[in-house]
Amino acid sequence: ETAVAVVSAAEQALPRPGVDGVAPNQLVGASCVLTGVFDASGGAGFARGKDGIKDWVESHGGKVVGSISKKTTHLIVGRLPGADKLGKALASGAELVTPETLAAGLRAGDVPAAIAGAPPVDVDSLQLSKGFGKNAKAIEFGEPSAKKLKMM
């Protein structure tokens, strides 16, 4: 049986710049890529879909792009992330971060400390997206592992 974390409504609320003491522009200079699914019934908080998460990151001064490059600073990992983006992020040295960890850092006013203090994204236990049709990297090598992903 899998344990499910219970997240309060306050924790689900995305911190907004200038609201409740959240400093603005904390992500200036950050280049982020999204991978996985960020939506659920209700569409509030972290369940707003990729467009909602993109708008949220940009409201804090960050940039969201579609693919990993040497300029990528963060890969924001949702449910069922893509193996290709995970592998490229691991190879490039980009930080793997969840929206929840990013939100905690924004609330605290110290995103790097929140990322450093959070449990790392456990790549070896992630369930990967199967992609569209037969083009998913996950199909090529089966279950994820950090070692396999770095070799992509």
Side-chain angles (χ1 to χ4, degrees):
E1 186 173 304
T2 303
V4 176
V6 177
V7 180
S8 72
E11 292 171 317
Q12 269 274 333
L14 298 174
R16 293 289 173 190
V19 177
D20 295 328
V22 175
N25 299 316
Q26 292 186 66
L27 296 178
V28 167
S31 179
C32 304
V33 174
L34 306 177
T35 186
V37 178
F38 297 92
D39 55 11
S41 62
F46 299 122
R48 294 186 49 203
K50 283 187 177 175
D51 286 341
I53 298 296
K54 178 180 185 278
D55 291 346
W56 173 59
V57 168
E58 289 174 347
S59 76
H60 287 279
K63 181 177 178 182
V64 177
V65 297
S67 59
I68 302 289
S69 75
K70 63 183 178 180
K71 294 180 182 179
T72 304
T73 58
H74 300 86
L75 177 66
I76 302 174
V77 181
R79 185 175 54 84
L80 298 173
D84 192 48
K85 285 183 181 176
L86 280 171
K88 288 178 180 177
L90 288 167
S92 76
E95 295 269 10
L96 274 59
V97 62
T98 64
E100 294 83 1
T101 298
L102 189 57
L106 291 167
R107 283 188 195 97
D110 194 342
V111 173
I115 293 171
V121 174
D122 184 2
V123 174
D124 293 336
S125 69
L126 291 174
Q127 181 180 357
L128 300 179
S129 167
K130 298 297 184 207
F132 298 99
K134 294 186 178 185
N135 68 349
K137 293 285 184 184
I139 293 170
E140 291 178 24
F141 64 84
E143 291 303 308
S145 75
K147 183 176 180 181
K148 286 181 184 177
L149 288 166
K150 284 181 182 177
M151 293 172 34
M152 292 176 57

